Amino acid sequence: LLNYLKLNARDTFEEIKEKTGINTSVIDYKIQKYIQENLIKYFTIEINPNKVGYYQYLLFLNMKGDTEKKKALIEELYAKTKEAYHLFEYLNYWEIVITYCVQNPAKMDEVIVDLKKKYGENTHYQLMYIKKKHKIEPYPDVDKVYPKE
């Protein structure tokens, strides 16, 4: 059931029953159990930004190990920036990776100019336009985490 839900979470119990052969009362019981055990944390949707007129970018930043600049940038993103919605910190060349969703490419150019002004010309960056996301199975060994009964 978990393997099925990973890729088809929006299906109704009837659709799941048709495709898996699992009785709807069992499906309901197992999903409630997964929620109680915190195996399923939340339900969400993913909107295609291109369909509503937005552009999605990944911005990779190297702050040259300047932890003060990095801290200031992260605080600013959390406090003020509506366009940035995912932020990852790494211990690698690219120290910060930010996902942006903007109304046009010119807005992303403004973000880059602003970052350079605030955090210095020495901040290295790489910008990548996200054309399409592909859904994959992020947890191929889910049975090891929650074995079949």
Side-chain angles (χ1 to χ4, degrees):
L1 179 60
L2 268 181
N3 285 326
Y4 181 84
L5 289 173
K6 285 188 300 184
L7 297 175
N8 304 289
R10 295 181 55 122
D11 283 1
T12 66
F13 284 5
E14 285 299 321
E15 291 170 319
I16 296 169
K17 177 185 174 184
E18 287 174 24
K19 294 173 185 170
T20 65
I22 302 171
N23 187 301
T24 54
S25 60
V26 174
I27 294 168
D28 182 45
Y29 170 79
K30 285 190 172 211
I31 289 175
Q32 294 304 320
K33 185 176 176 183
Y34 295 155
I35 293 168
Q36 286 174 350
E37 293 180 359
N38 211 21
L39 189 58
I40 295 176
K41 292 185 177 185
Y42 51 87
F43 301 88
T44 186
I45 62 168
E46 187 170 330
I47 296 171
N48 182 346
N50 301 63
K51 294 286 185 187
V52 290
Y54 282 81
Y55 297 82
Q56 210 170 20
Y57 292 91
L58 285 177
L59 178 62
F60 298 82
L61 293 172
N62 180 314
M63 312 287 286
K64 299 288 188 188
D66 188 330
T67 55
E68 290 303 313
K69 280 185 186 178
K70 195 159 87 171
K71 183 179 177 187
L73 171 65
I74 291 169
E75 286 175 4
E76 177 185 345
L77 290 172
Y78 279 123
K80 301 178 199 167
T81 309
K82 290 187 286 184
E83 293 91 359
Y85 64 94
H86 281 137
L87 173 74
F88 303 95
E89 280 188 83
Y90 292 98
L91 295 172
N92 208 330
Y93 181 78
W94 298 115
E95 298 170 295
I96 299 176
V97 179
I98 310 161
T99 307
Y100 281 89
C101 194
V102 294
Q103 288 184 323
N104 57 61
K107 177 62 181 167
M108 197 65 223
D109 292 339
E110 290 174 23
V111 168
I112 300 290
V113 168
D114 188 48
L115 282 171
K116 283 183 168 185
K117 262 195 266 181
K118 288 181 181 172
Y119 302 103
E121 291 291 324
N122 290 336
T123 299
H124 288 184
Y125 74 92
Q126 178 74 44
L127 186 64
M128 187 183 309
Y129 171 66
I130 301 173
K131 184 176 178 181
K132 183 177 181 181
K133 288 183 179 179
H134 297 274
K135 194 167 188 177
I136 59 168
E137 291 194 41
Y139 310 105
D141 294 329
V142 73
D143 291 336
K144 291 179 182 175
V145 176
Y146 199 86
K148 292 180 182 179
E149 295 164 13

